[in-house]
Amino acid sequence: MLYTSTRQKLEHITATQAILQGISNEGGLFVPSTMPKIDFDLGELSKWSYQEIAYRIMHLFFDEIKDEDLKYCIEHAYDEKFDTQEIAPLVHTKTGNFLELFHGPTIAFKDMALSILPYLMLTSKRYNGEEKDIVILTATSGDTGKAALEGFANVDGTKIIVFFPQDGVSDVQKQQMVTTEGANTFVVGVKGNFDDCQTTVKEIFGNKEFAEEIAKKNYKFSSANSINIGRLIPQVAYYFASYGKMVRDGKLKVGEVMNVVVPTGNFGNILASYYAKQMGLPIGKLICASNSNKVLFDFFKSGTYDRNREFFLTESPSMDILISSNLERLLYHISGEDTNIVNDLMTSLKKDGKYTITDEMRKNLQDFYGGYADDEMTKGYIKKVFDEEGYLMDTHTAVAYAVYDQYIKETQDETPTVIVSTASPYKFTHSVMTAVDKKYDGISDFELLDHMQNLLQGDLPKAMDHIATREILHNTVCNVNEMKDMVSKFLV
Ligand SMILES: *Cc1c(COP(=O)(O)O)cnc(C)c1O
């Protein structure tokens, strides 16, 4: 299995090279040169552990990695760091089947990929005889940052630098990041929004002189953002796992089709479901849920992607994104792997902030349905589902639920559906608690943790234990145009 780029035909890139490098030299994203098909019976999925499913999926994409090495990565990633042996449990309520991807160390779905990426990265380093230290450079809308820090802190041979929008993440998210221990970690607040952070990080990646400069100091950049194929592929596994659980729980018969609803920002999670479908998992509709930054909704409706619009800070901050990086991979696939088309579209995105796909390409988008929900609707659904079904959704999951409800009303499609639940409500206490009852307004995020625990009568997740009183270890703030200098300063 070899990898190529969305912007140029490449012939010799192996999985481990793609993982090490993060992004292709000409700025494209790595994609598998052919989509592997599953080589097992779907009926097996309900019997296998999460780790077994992860292995069955990942070895198809990463066949270069020896079985024993891949199994080592998987066993060390999906272990007691997760608060349930199931790793990704499926919870049924009266109206929803929630795939809970938030049982890892930072209680958001980024843990699913970022707990394994450091192992894949070290394996890749070894396979390629790479002796330089790997510098993970990451822009985060809140959740990636902490999950990457958690994964890479104190990993020998790596350093990690995280940039987050200073005023664009929740108090809890920020506190989680700035209290990270580990001598190899560096966390910086940026006076700008997530797109500013992401664009600048991409520019730093693309800066060849800078790469040479740091190479002299024995460093090499890589990425923990979902543009790294080493993040995308592990995410494919949980769609297979959820199918097995739908069968196990009598919601589906083996071979029947299910839909998925995915709360979407950078388009990584939903792209993983698209890959699962291409590999042979019977998925019908891929329902893409956005918040008020509904650039994807408009794209699916009109075929035009246009980022020239007002940017909203919403109560689902991890989805406050106007440039969904992974969409480039979808464009590559739906254009019949035409790198010229992708180049043209990406050039107009850079130049004009927008592009329009061809009618041919639009035909290949028929499996997708786009919807969106604003904050008010989102909070309405948090309350409704909690009052009526006793299930407390976080704001991101609630965006997905809201769009799912619209979808059913619009289409009457009764296909069993998995709602991807991307964060624990404990991560967004203020938004969630005030949705349930306005009386919680005016109380700090941190105090609300206790109120939420009372409401749910369960244990506080380990990630939130004593969060308010942890020592702040990172307090650097910079402007967007100072980000590169920050990187230089850190890499002595
Ligand atoms: C990152 C994130 C998303 C968006 O996922 P993408 O893969 O970027 O589309 C949704 N919800 C939460 C809680 C997240 O952290």
Side-chain angles (χ1 to χ4, degrees):
M1 166 68 75
L2 290 173
Y3 287 78
T4 181
S5 158
T6 51
R7 299 193 197 175
Q8 190 184 351
K9 285 282 171 224
L10 303 171
E11 271 153 24
H12 304 290
I13 301 287
T14 65
T16 59
Q17 286 169 340
I19 290 168
L20 268 186
Q21 209 175 312
I23 194 162
S24 182
N25 286 333
E26 77 300 330
L29 306 189
F30 290 117
V31 277
S33 50
T34 50
M35 195 62 77
K37 299 285 173 202
I38 51 169
D39 56 1
F40 52 80
D41 195 67
L42 288 173
E44 301 292 327
L45 289 170
S46 52
K47 299 176 207 141
W48 285 340
S49 67
Y50 190 83
Q51 292 81 353
E52 177 73 22
I53 294 173
Y55 166 72
R56 298 282 176 157
I57 299 304
M58 286 168 54
H59 93 103
L60 296 173
F61 287 98
F62 301 152
D63 59 358
E64 170 205 5
I65 302 179
K66 288 197 210 89
D67 275 355
E68 66 206 64
D69 291 337
L70 186 58
K71 284 183 175 162
Y72 177 92
C73 294
I74 291 169
E75 298 302 328
H76 285 77
Y78 304 116
D79 62 4
E80 296 77 42
K81 288 195 277 304
F82 285 76
D83 67 13
T84 158
Q85 273 194 342
E86 281 208 77
I87 307 295
L90 186 69
V91 175
H92 307 286
T93 69
K94 193 163 107 258
T95 60
N97 309 298
F98 294 91
L99 176 64
E100 293 188 347
L101 301 180
F102 56 74
H103 290 273
T106 75
I107 61 176
F109 101 97
K110 304 293 194 292
D111 289 327
M112 299 304 297
L114 282 163
S115 50
I116 193 163
L117 186 66
Y119 292 100
L120 293 173
M121 197 75 87
L122 289 183
T123 306
S124 301
K125 210 174 152 203
R126 183 155 56 85
Y127 275 44
N128 291 280
E130 176 60 66
E131 291 185 344
K132 294 193 185 71
D133 278 6
I134 302 296
V135 180
I136 301 295
L137 204 56
T138 295
T140 183
S141 57
D143 291 333
T144 297
K146 180 59 183 180
L149 287 162
E150 195 66 32
F152 282 95
N154 297 319
V155 173
D156 280 346
T158 71
K159 289 193 190 293
I160 170 156
I161 307 177
V162 170
F163 292 103
F164 70 92
Q166 173 72 2
D167 300 314
V169 302
S170 80
D171 290 347
V172 170
Q173 286 177 316
K174 189 168 178 174
Q175 183 77 355
Q176 278 188 309
M177 287 190 276
V178 299
T179 58
T180 304
E181 295 177 18
N184 66 335
T185 65
F186 192 60
V187 182
V188 185
V190 176
K191 294 181 201 155
N193 63 33
F194 171 67
D195 287 316
D196 298 327
C197 297
Q198 176 161 260
T199 305
T200 310
V201 162
K202 277 194 201 161
E203 277 165 18
I204 298 175
F205 274 124
N207 186 330
K208 299 217 169 60
E209 277 164 40
F210 195 45
E212 280 165 27
E213 204 179 295
I214 66 151
K216 285 188 203 130
K217 300 186 200 165
N218 208 35
Y219 292 118
K220 180 186 167 76
F221 287 129
S222 190
S223 162
N225 277 80
S226 56
I227 51 177
N228 195 312
I229 196 82
R231 252 191 75 181
L232 183 64
I233 301 308
Q235 295 180 357
V236 178
Y238 51 71
Y239 288 100
F240 283 90
S242 73
Y243 191 89
K245 288 180 180 167
M246 288 290 275
V247 170
R248 177 199 68 189
D249 298 345
K251 304 280 174 186
L252 276 181
K253 292 199 183 65
V254 177
E256 282 179 353
V257 169
M258 71 175 191
N259 290 344
V260 295
V261 193
V262 187
T264 297
N266 227 351
F267 210 76
N269 201 351
I270 193 162
L271 187 72
S273 72
Y274 175 80
Y275 277 27
K277 178 167 180 161
Q278 304 303 311
M279 293 174 77
L281 187 65
I283 297 179
K285 285 284 179 201
L286 306 135
I287 302 170
C288 175
S290 301
N291 63 24
S292 294
N293 296 297
K294 59 184 182 59
V295 62
L296 288 165
F297 166 79
D298 293 335
F299 171 69
F300 286 120
K301 215 171 68 169
S302 68
T304 296
Y305 191 93
D306 188 354
R307 64 151 305 186
N308 304 303
R309 61 179 70 213
E310 191 182 346
F311 175 79
F312 298 103
L313 288 176
T314 73
E315 306 214 34
S316 42
S318 303
M319 296 156 62
D320 288 345
I321 293 175
L322 291 181
I323 302 182
S324 296
S325 296
N326 269 292
L327 194 63
E328 180 171 340
R329 288 193 167 106
L330 184 67
L331 297 175
Y332 172 81
H333 296 298
I334 62 169
S335 67
E337 311 189 345
D338 189 328
T339 54
N340 290 329
I341 292 185
V342 177
N343 268 301
D344 288 347
L345 297 177
M346 289 302 116
T347 305
S348 46
L349 181 64
K350 189 150 193 213
K351 203 163 122 269
D352 308 322
K354 61 179 175 185
Y355 59 77
T356 302
I357 60 171
T358 62
D359 290 343
E360 269 314 281
M361 289 169 80
R362 279 188 80 178
K363 282 200 203 104
N364 293 331
L365 281 183
Q366 279 170 7
D367 293 339
F368 286 90
Y369 171 94
Y372 74 97
D374 64 17
D375 280 345
E376 197 188 321
M377 275 178 71
T378 304
K379 292 179 92 165
Y381 278 100
I382 290 176
K383 180 165 176 59
K384 182 167 188 279
V385 172
F386 184 68
D387 289 349
E388 292 174 10
E389 307 180 34
Y391 186 74
L392 192 58
M393 301 182 288
D394 96 290
T395 45
H396 304 76
T397 308
V399 168
Y401 188 92
V403 170
Y404 171 55
D405 204 40
Q406 289 163 23
Y407 172 78
I408 294 176
K409 286 188 180 131
E410 198 178 305
T411 63
Q412 268 86 48
D413 181 357
E414 285 173 6
T415 306
T417 299
V418 165
I419 300 170
V420 177
S421 180
T422 50
S424 159
Y426 281 105
K427 201 150 186 181
F428 300 94
T429 46
H430 182 264
S431 306
V432 173
M433 291 301 275
T434 53
V436 171
D437 193 329
K438 292 220 165 47
K439 75 177 183 200
Y440 294 110
D441 207 7
I443 306 176
S444 81
D445 263 25
F446 299 115
E447 283 173 89
L448 284 172
L449 289 170
D450 293 334
H451 289 285
M452 188 177 280
Q453 194 188 355
N454 280 336
L455 197 67
L456 294 178
Q457 298 287 312
D459 294 331
L460 197 64
K462 227 172 39 209
M464 291 298 122
D465 241 5
H466 303 294
I467 177 94
T469 52
R470 286 183 207 160
E471 190 188 350
I472 293 182
L473 301 168
H474 307 267
N475 47 22
T476 311
V477 176
C478 78
N479 290 311
V480 177
N481 61 10
E482 294 168 330
M483 287 169 61
K484 183 163 153 281
D485 295 340
M486 288 290 145
V487 175
S488 302
K489 218 170 97 186
F490 184 54
L491 298 179
V492 283

